[in-house]
Structures are given as C-alpha cells and as structure tokens.
Amino acid sequence: MPNKNNKYSNTDIFKELGFSEQEAGNLKVRSKLMHEITQYIESQNITQVEAAERFGVSQPRISDLMRGKLHVFTVDTLINMLHRVGYNVQLNVLLPNFAGGKEELKTREG
C-alpha cells in the first residue's frame, strides 16, 4: 500500500526530479557505480589519498566522488576505476516489453 505522506509515486528519483528518461538512466547508472566505489573505500578503511592511488586518480577526484558529484564523472571513468581494484562490472539491458523498461546494474566482484 502506498505511503500517503510520500508525494512521489515513482521509485526513480531522477525522473521525479524532472530529468528526461535518457538523462535519468545515465544518472542512475553513474550513481550506482559511484556507490560501489564509495562502499569499497569505506570497507577498506583507507584515506582519500590511498584511494586515489588505488583508483589511479587524484585525491580531489576522490573527494568529488565521496561528495556525490555525479556531473563530474562519466560511466567510462567509473568503470575503469572499479576495474583498477579488481571489480568486474556487468550491465544487463532488458527490453521494455519484457521488463517494464527497467535496467539492471550489477557491480559486485564476481
């Protein structure tokens, strides 16, 4: 049963914020990849400087990532960062008529 106090009915926050379907999809993928990188950094209990060395980027880039600055990262950059620490990123694209147009992103080591 929907929460009457919640003014949003759609579970895709980017669409709710007014982004186009295409923009929302891209932002969703980038946010999931960034979340995985953030989880890795926290689980390894490493500093931003150490993380920058492992991911092959500068410390300010890690700071941007940790602060959720989606607009400064491309999908390619985020995938390359995850590969540098041994992650295998897989993207499953599902046809709209079979899955309601929803994409599925798997980012766990495998």
Side-chain angles (χ1 to χ4, degrees), residues 2 5 7 11 17-18 23 25-26 28 30 32 37 43 53 60-61 66 81-82 84 94 106 109:
N5 296 326
K7 67 179 181 176
T11 59
L17 290 171
E23 290 172 307
N26 187 285
K28 188 174 180 181
R30 283 190 281 160
K32 287 182 179 185
I37 294 170
S43 73
E53 290 172 5
R61 292 287 281 167
M66 298 299 286
M81 290 172 69
L82 285 164
R84 284 190 57 111
L94 306 175
K106 296 180 182 180
E109 288 180 285

Side-chain angles (χ1 to χ4, degrees), residues 6-24:
N6 185 353
K7 67 179 181 176
Y8 298 110
S9 60
N10 190 334
T11 59
D12 188 339
I13 187 66
F14 297 112
K15 282 194 254 181
E16 292 289 348
L17 290 171
F19 290 98
S20 71
E21 184 88 26
Q22 184 178 11
E23 290 172 307

Side-chain angles (χ1 to χ4, degrees), residues 4 14 16 21 27 31 44-45 60 88 96 99 102 104-105:
K4 291 181 182 179
F14 297 112
E16 292 289 348
E21 184 88 26
L27 289 166
S31 69
Q44 297 293 307
N45 197 30
N88 179 20
K102 296 181 181 176
E104 177 183 332
L105 179 68

